[in-house]
Amino acid sequence: MKKITTIPATKTKYSSKTNTQVAKRKVAGYARVSTDSDEQFTSYEAQVDYYTEFINGRADWEFVKIYTDEGISGTNTKRREGFNAMIKDALDGKIDLIITKSVSRFARNTVDSLTTVRNLKDAGVEVYFEKENIWTFDSKGELLITIMSSLAQEESRSISENVTWGHRKRFSDGKVSMPFGNFLGYDKGPDGNPAINKEEAKTVRKIYQYFLEGNSPYRIAKMLTEEGILTVQKKKKWAPNTVRSILTNEKYKGDALLQKSFTVNFLTKEKKINEGEVPQYYVERNHEPIIEPAVWDFVQSLIENKPKYNNGIFSSKITCGFCGGFFGAKTWHSNSKYKRKVWQCNRKYKDKDHPCKTTHLTEEEIKTAFIQSLNNLIKNKDSILGDLALIEDVFNTKELYEKLDFTISNMN
C-alpha cells in the first residue's frame, strides 16, 4: 500500500520568508491630496501624522517611511514622484506592506491600479486600503480593487466633464481668462480683466517695431537678449518661438480667441490644438490693446506671405512678375550626377487649373542678372541720386507743418 507523507510548506505564498521565521513586516504609508488648497493641505498633514502613528503602534510592524505626493492628480501614476519612489523601494525588497487611505488615493485609473497591485503582489508586497478594508493578499482583494478603481475612474471622468463644460460655458459667454503670470504685457486688473503692464508693454511694442523694420523672430530674439531685456519668466535668453507667439497672438490687439486647444484624454491630461474638433469663440474688443488692430493685421499679412524657409541669399528677394509669388530654391535630380539647384515660383503648381507660367531660373542666371543691375546702378548713380534729392524736396513737409503750427498758435 502507498504511503503518503505531507511535507508542510516552509515559505509563505507571497514572501521568501519561512513560516517559522518571526520577523516584523516592513511597512510604509502613502498619502496624497490632489489640490494645493489650505483645506486639502490640512488633510495632507493629517494623513502623514495618522499613518506614522498607526504603523509605529503595531509591535509586529517596522516603520519604513511615509511616501507623499502633494497637489498631484491621481488619474495616472506617471508624474507622481513619491508614489513611483515607493513602488521602486517595494520591488527592491525594502517594503513588505503599503498602507493607504483608499483606492482613490492610490490611483483613479483602473489599469494603473491593477497593474501596480499585481506587480507588488508578485514581489511579495501587500497593499492595505483602509477605507475599503481591502488586503490585496486576500482572495477577494483583486475583485474589490477592480470595482473600487472603476468607480473612482468614473468619478474622475465625471469631474473632468463638469470642468470642461464649465470652461466652454464661460467661453460661449465671452469670458476671457489669461495665464497672467506667463503673459507678457498684461496683468490681472481689479475687475479680473486684462490690464496693460506699462513696462512690459514697451517690450511688446519693441518686438513689433523690430519685425516691421524687417527683422526675423530669430534676429529679434537675439537683439532682445543682447539688450538685456528679460522674458516674462525673468530669463535672460529669448527664444524665437516666444517672439513668434507674441507677434501672432490676437490678445495684443484687444481680441481673444477662446479654446485654441482642448484635453483629449482626461486620464493622461493630453492636450491637442483645436483644428475644428470643438467650437471656438472669438471675442472682439475685449480689453485695451497694446498694438493697434490695423498694425497687428498688417504684421499677420507679412508673416503669412513671408516664405517659411530661408533657402539662400535670394530667398524672399525675387518676386514673380506673373502672379506676385516669391521664388524659392528647388533641387532637381537630387539623387543623381545631374543634381542642380534652380529657382522657380512657389505658386507654380499651387493652382492646377491655372498654373503660374513663369519659367525657372538657375542660380547662375540670377547672379548674372544681379551683377548687371548693380553695375547699371553704379554707372547711373549720379542721375539716381539726383532723382532721390528731387523726391526728398517734393515730399519735404517741414515748411508746411511750420505754417500749420503758426496758424494754430495764433488761433489759440
Side-chain angles (χ1 to χ4, degrees), residues 146-321:
T146 303
I147 296 170
M148 298 306 297
S149 295
S150 297
L151 292 173
Q153 181 170 316
E154 285 307 307
E155 180 187 0
S156 291
R157 184 194 303 278
S158 176
I159 292 171
S160 177
E161 289 175 351
N162 288 338
V163 170
T164 300
W165 182 88
H167 286 325
R168 291 180 183 171
K169 181 65 171 66
R170 288 205 311 275
F171 292 158
S172 64
D173 292 340
K175 295 180 180 178
V176 178
S177 60
M178 292 167 58
F180 294 102
N182 294 314
F183 203 93
L184 186 70
Y186 286 104
D187 293 328
K188 188 174 183 179
D191 58 354
N193 291 321
I196 292 178
N197 180 312
K198 293 183 179 179
E199 287 302 313
E200 292 182 356
K202 292 178 183 178
T203 303
V204 174
R205 294 188 183 104
K206 181 173 286 192
I207 289 171
Y208 277 77
Q209 177 188 339
Y210 283 162
F211 182 79
L212 290 171
E213 289 172 357
N215 295 288
S216 67
Y218 176 83
R219 176 61 185 151
I220 295 171
K222 189 175 181 182
M223 293 165 73
L224 295 173
T225 302
E226 290 172 351
E227 291 174 26
I229 297 174
L230 300 179
T231 69
V232 69
Q233 292 91 8
K234 307 304 178 186
K235 293 180 180 179
K236 295 181 180 180
K237 187 173 182 179
W238 285 77
N241 284 340
T242 303
V243 173
R244 193 174 291 107
S245 68
I246 291 172
L247 288 170
T248 56
N249 197 313
E250 77 291 337
K251 291 184 178 67
Y252 289 112
K253 72 166 181 173
D255 295 351
L257 177 62
L258 307 180
Q259 199 152 249
K260 294 179 181 179
S261 62
F262 64 100
T263 302
V264 179
N265 190 316
F266 81 98
L267 291 175
T268 62
K269 306 299 181 186
E270 177 188 355
K271 281 187 171 290
K272 180 186 181 299
I273 294 174
N274 186 1
E275 297 176 313
E277 294 89 344
V278 295
Q280 288 185 317
Y281 306 91
Y282 195 88
V283 184
E284 297 183 58
R285 298 180 296 279
N286 177 73
H287 51 274
E288 185 181 358
I290 293 176
I291 305 298
E292 286 298 317
V295 175
W296 189 90
D297 292 339
F298 180 62
V299 168
Q300 305 319 301
S301 67
L302 292 178
I303 292 172
E304 185 178 348
N305 294 323
K306 191 174 182 64
K308 294 183 179 179
Y309 303 102
N310 188 342
N311 45 22
I313 59 173
F314 297 112
S315 178
S316 73
K317 302 293 190 300
I318 307 172
T319 306
C320 175

Side-chain angles (χ1 to χ4, degrees), residues 98-115:
I98 296 171
I99 297 176
T100 189
K101 184 176 181 181
S102 67
V103 172
S104 63
R105 286 280 165 248
F106 198 68
R108 288 184 179 174
N109 181 327
T110 308
V111 174
D112 274 349
S113 183
L114 289 176
T115 301

